[in-house]
């Protein structure tokens, strides 16, 4: 008969690795993994944001470069078009300038009644072509003298003018658009010296003389 020691009970053998000691490290490992996962996601977000910022910066730079190139191209096209128009105007002006003596001869023949027959038809055709190319004639008797478009070849005084006036057109002027290729050659007349004083005196006499204070 076996005697039992009072106060002691036999405990069953517990296999190693299944005790409370092993349970606690597992709980610690799971908590560490939970902390590491958000930290890894944050690092990825930062890296993605940095890449996005870099891509946006590159896009902004490329957009700026493209806009600059477009502006330069538009300026280039405008310069080319302006130069093309200028060259065309210079060429046309040079050609028409060479034709001005012929047009003068046609004008003189018309004044003397010599523009007849086949010569009249050719002359009118030439004037029509010149007009289509933009040639405009100017200069009329009685218009005020303008040194920017008139060239005075003769000078006189006249009692019936109040300012320097073109009284005769010796040669008409010609222009293309706003470009004058030859000024009108004219005879001008100015008011007679002292005419203004005489007019003032006659006006005073008609009104009863100057007012007295």
């Amino acid at each position: 008969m076996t005697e039992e020691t009072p106060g002691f009970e036999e405990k069953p053998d517990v296999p190693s690795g299944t005790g409370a000691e092993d349970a606690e490290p597992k709980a610690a490992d799971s908590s560490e993994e939970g902390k590491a996962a958000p930290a890894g996601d944050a690092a990825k977000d930062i890296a993605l944001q940095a890449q996005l910022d870099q891509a946006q910066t590159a896009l902004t730079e490329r957009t700026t470069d493209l806009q600059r190139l477009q502006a330069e191209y538009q300026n280039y096209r405008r310069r080319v078009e302006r130069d093309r128009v200028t060259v065309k105007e210079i060429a046309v002006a040079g050609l028409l300038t060479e034709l001005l003596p012929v047009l003068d001869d046609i004008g003189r023949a018309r004044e003397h009644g010599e523009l007849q027959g086949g010569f009249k038809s050719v002359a009118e055709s030439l004037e029509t072509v010149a007009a289509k190319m933009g040639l405009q004639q100017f200069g009329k008797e009685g218009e005020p003298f303008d040194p920017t478009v008139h060239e005075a070849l003769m000078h006189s005084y006249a009692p019936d003018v109040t300012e320097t006036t073109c009284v005769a057109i010796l040669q008409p002027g010609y222009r293309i658009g706003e470009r004058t290729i030859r000024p009108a050659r004219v005879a001008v007349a100015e008011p007679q010296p002292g005419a203004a004083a005489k007019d003032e005196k006659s006006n005073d006499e008609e009104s009863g003389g100057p007012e007295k204070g």
Side-chain angles (χ1 to χ4, degrees), residues 3-210:
E3 294 181 359
E4 296 181 359
T5 306
F8 291 95
E9 295 179 357
E10 293 183 0
K11 294 182 180 181
D13 294 335
V14 179
S16 61
T18 59
E21 294 83 356
D22 293 337
E24 290 179 358
K26 286 184 179 181
D29 292 341
S30 62
S31 63
E32 288 177 0
E33 290 178 358
K35 292 180 181 179
D41 293 341
K44 290 181 180 180
D45 291 342
I46 293 174
L48 290 175
Q49 186 62 42
Q51 293 178 358
L52 179 61
D53 292 342
Q54 185 177 2
Q56 289 178 341
T57 301
L59 177 61
T60 302
E61 292 176 354
R62 298 299 179 271
T63 303
T64 302
D65 293 340
L66 179 60
Q67 291 174 345
R68 184 174 63 254
L69 289 174
Q70 288 178 337
E72 291 177 354
Y73 177 66
Q74 292 297 330
N75 292 334
Y76 169 74
R77 288 188 59 185
R78 282 192 289 267
R79 286 197 303 271
V80 169
E81 181 64 20
R82 184 172 61 250
D83 293 343
R84 186 185 67 81
V85 172
T86 301
V87 170
K88 180 180 178 181
E89 290 179 351
I90 292 173
V92 171
L95 173 62
L96 294 177
T97 300
E98 296 297 326
L99 291 177
L100 294 185
V102 179
L103 297 176
D104 291 337
D105 291 340
I106 292 173
R108 283 190 289 267
R110 182 179 286 112
E111 290 176 358
H112 292 86
E114 299 175 355
L115 199 62
Q116 299 175 358
F119 178 55
K120 178 180 179 181
S121 177
V122 172
E124 290 177 349
S125 298
L126 179 61
E127 290 175 335
T128 301
V129 171
K132 287 183 178 180
M133 296 178 70
L135 186 67
Q136 299 175 358
Q137 186 182 102
F138 67 90
K140 295 180 180 180
E141 294 183 6
E143 63 185 7
F145 176 75
D146 184 353
T148 61
V149 295
H150 296 138
E151 180 182 354
L153 300 183
M154 299 177 64
H155 179 271
S156 62
Y157 294 97
D160 57 343
V161 297
T162 58
E163 60 180 342
T164 304
T165 305
C166 301
V167 295
I169 305 299
L170 307 179
Q171 275 187 335
Y174 290 96
R175 66 166 63 96
I176 301 175
E178 300 298 326
R179 181 195 297 268
T180 299
I181 62 176
R182 189 181 77 181
R185 291 164 180 171
V186 300
V188 300
E190 294 185 30
Q192 289 182 344
K198 289 180 181 179
D199 291 339
E200 291 179 359
K201 183 177 180 181
S202 62
N203 291 334
D204 291 341
E205 290 175 353
E206 290 177 359
S207 61

